[in-house]
Amino acid sequence: MTFPGETNWSLFTLLDKHRLSLREAAGVTLESRHGPFVASQSCEISSTDVLRRIENVIEDVITSLSRNEAPVLILNNRSNWGNIQFTDSAGLQMTSTGNCTTRKIRSDCPKSAPKFALFLKILSIIYKMVQTNIYATKRDIFYTDTAHFGNQRVVDDITNDISCMLKIPRRSLHILSTSKGCIAGNLSYVEEDGTKVNCSCSTTVAVPSNVEGMRNLITEAKFILIVEKDATFQRLLDDNFCSKMSPCIIITSMSFEAHRLTVPAIRWLGLLPSDFDRLSIPKTALIPLTKQDQSKLDSLNTRPYIAYQSAWKKELDIMATCKMKAEIQALTYFSSDYLSRVYLPNKLQFGGWI
């Protein structure tokens, strides 16, 4: 199937119904659905609120010390999938039932005391950054004291714990991702410094590190396609996918923070395990599961919310049975432009996402 010239969106019934249901759920009226989407700065937690939440943590520490008690930090256990729930309205999130299992970082325990100190150190760094309205990457924070942090993962884990404990997105803590990624398509916006940006279909634009600073977003896109790999992103650009399927937006996945992709609007187009037989992809184009893959698959099947997602469970079962996986590049077995010319247009028109 090819889509020369302007796309006839009347054919894309399932995608259009899905798009409209999402917009209506977000409070966009039917009367406004045909015009371009215009967004101002997103609603975010104020700096005052961020500072106050950090102050509350420090006040608890001081209160414990004043009582001659050893301060303790209590965190929701992010590694326990029993603490995670999936809802159609919010996607994946920590359970709000109050039954979350927790873990403690004690200041009087030789094993956890160093982490307790580093936790307060990073809280101090964040507090100063929010106060002075400056931003830094996690890598920048690591280099403020490499001797005590030891390695980058220590900083990564603590910043994620802080974000979870304070219930504040990492960007609102003024901590940025190292990677930016690229974006192309039907989108224009104004950067934090006032620069006007137009993401045309013939060029790519680097996504700003501080996406919260983007404002006046304007688009008529029918969908946003998130692409995992740069090579696939470039392949779609070379195939003029953005123009053929206009209006749309494509973006590399490294432009996003994984822990913030917990929104129900995201759908997995593929390559799905059920596509292996449906498309008759030869075994020579598939990749056997490694021990690490099998371990990950087993872990996914034990997560409580999977039992309530039949489509997800079906794909996991197929993968467990065939013990194979596939990269999106497997579609080049049919032709170099099969992904942009056949696979994605058919998925968008007839559904088949989960």
Side-chain angles (χ1 to χ4, degrees):
M1 179 184 294
T2 59
F3 293 82
E6 186 174 342
T7 306
N8 180 2
W9 283 102
S10 64
L11 297 175
F12 291 72
T13 306
L14 289 177
L15 178 63
D16 203 43
K17 285 182 178 179
H18 178 58
R19 181 180 63 87
L20 291 179
S21 66
L22 290 171
R23 295 188 71 180
E24 289 169 10
V28 179
T29 63
L30 292 174
E31 289 76 18
S32 64
R33 72 190 186 197
H34 299 296
F37 172 75
V38 182
S40 58
Q41 282 183 288
S42 60
C43 180
E44 60 182 53
I45 299 172
S46 69
S47 295
T48 301
D49 195 12
V50 174
L51 295 175
R52 187 58 201 158
R53 294 189 197 187
I54 295 175
E55 290 167 359
N56 288 339
V57 175
I58 302 304
E59 286 175 2
D60 288 343
V61 171
I62 294 173
T63 299
S64 295
L65 290 172
S66 69
R67 296 172 178 169
N68 291 322
E69 298 173 353
V72 176
L73 297 172
I74 300 177
L75 311 175
N76 285 339
N77 193 346
R78 294 186 295 111
S79 63
N80 185 350
W81 283 101
N83 289 341
I84 307 299
Q85 64 180 359
F86 179 90
T87 63
D88 290 336
S89 60
L92 288 173
Q93 60 180 1
M94 297 292 290
T95 182
S96 58
T97 61
N99 295 324
C100 273
T101 60
T102 60
R103 58 190 178 91
K104 296 179 179 180
I105 303 178
R106 304 188 63 87
S107 62
D108 60 348
C109 173
K111 186 177 181 180
S112 63
K115 186 170 185 179
F116 182 93
L118 293 178
F119 205 100
L120 294 187
K121 182 179 181 66
I122 293 179
L123 272 177
S124 174
I125 293 172
I126 292 171
Y127 192 89
K128 291 176 182 178
M129 290 196 302
V130 175
Q131 262 191 330
T132 56
N133 195 32
I134 62 174
Y135 292 79
T137 65
K138 289 186 291 185
R139 195 65 174 166
D140 294 330
I141 294 175
F142 170 67
Y143 278 111
T144 63
D145 196 340
T146 57
H148 285 100
F149 287 130
N151 61 72
Q152 182 66 55
R153 183 166 183 177
V154 171
V155 175
D156 295 348
D157 288 344
I158 292 176
T159 54
N160 288 338
D161 280 338
I162 289 174
S163 176
C164 184
M165 179 184 70
L166 299 179
K167 295 182 173 58
I168 297 175
R170 199 173 68 200
R171 289 186 180 275
S172 294
L173 297 175
H174 286 222
I175 300 176
L176 305 175
S177 297
T178 302
S179 301
K180 295 181 180 179
C182 295
I183 188 169
N186 188 286
L187 174 67
S188 64
Y189 60 88
V190 177
E191 291 187 342
E192 190 173 21
D193 62 2
T195 302
K196 295 181 179 179
V197 179
N198 183 22
C199 307
S200 69
C201 291
S202 58
T203 61
T204 61
V205 174
V207 177
S209 293
N210 184 20
V211 296
E212 299 292 350
M214 297 166 63
R215 62 184 188 275
N216 298 341
L217 280 74
I218 301 175
T219 183
E220 294 180 326
K222 298 288 186 178
F223 65 91
I224 299 172
L225 181 66
I226 302 173
V227 182
E228 180 184 4
K229 296 182 178 179
D230 286 333
T232 304
F233 179 84
Q234 190 58 52
R235 174 80 250 184
L236 292 174
L237 291 180
D238 292 343
D239 291 344
N240 208 22
F241 176 83
C242 224
S243 294
K244 293 175 181 176
M245 301 299 293
S246 181
C248 69
I249 297 170
I250 58 175
I251 187 168
T252 51
S253 61
M254 69 176 181
S255 305
F256 292 90
E257 299 174 22
H259 75 282
R260 297 194 70 185
L261 289 178
T262 54
V263 292
I266 292 178
R267 294 293 183 264
W268 182 23
L269 290 182
L271 195 61
L272 304 178
S274 57
D275 288 331
F276 300 170
D277 285 339
R278 186 178 66 84
L279 298 177
S280 299
I281 297 176
K283 286 189 176 181
T284 55
L286 302 178
I287 305 170
L289 295 181
T290 64
K291 289 183 178 179
Q292 186 177 3
D293 292 331
Q294 187 63 55
S295 177
K296 185 67 173 179
L297 184 61
D298 294 340
S299 174
L300 285 170
N301 274 313
T302 62
R303 297 179 186 180
Y305 61 84
I306 291 293
Y308 302 99
Q309 303 296 325
S310 58
W312 301 2
K313 188 69 169 63
K314 174 186 174 183
E315 298 298 334
L316 293 176
D317 289 344
I318 292 173
M319 185 176 286
T321 300
C322 70
K323 298 186 181 302
M324 304 291 279
K325 64 181 180 180
E327 302 285 354
I328 198 72
Q329 286 78 12
L331 295 175
T332 59
Y333 167 82
F334 302 109
S335 68
S336 61
D337 62 348
Y338 188 86
L339 174 66
S340 61
R341 182 176 57 86
V342 179
Y343 185 82
L344 287 177
N346 273 276
K347 283 273 184 170
L348 293 168
Q349 180 174 352
F350 301 112
W353 55 70
I354 62 172

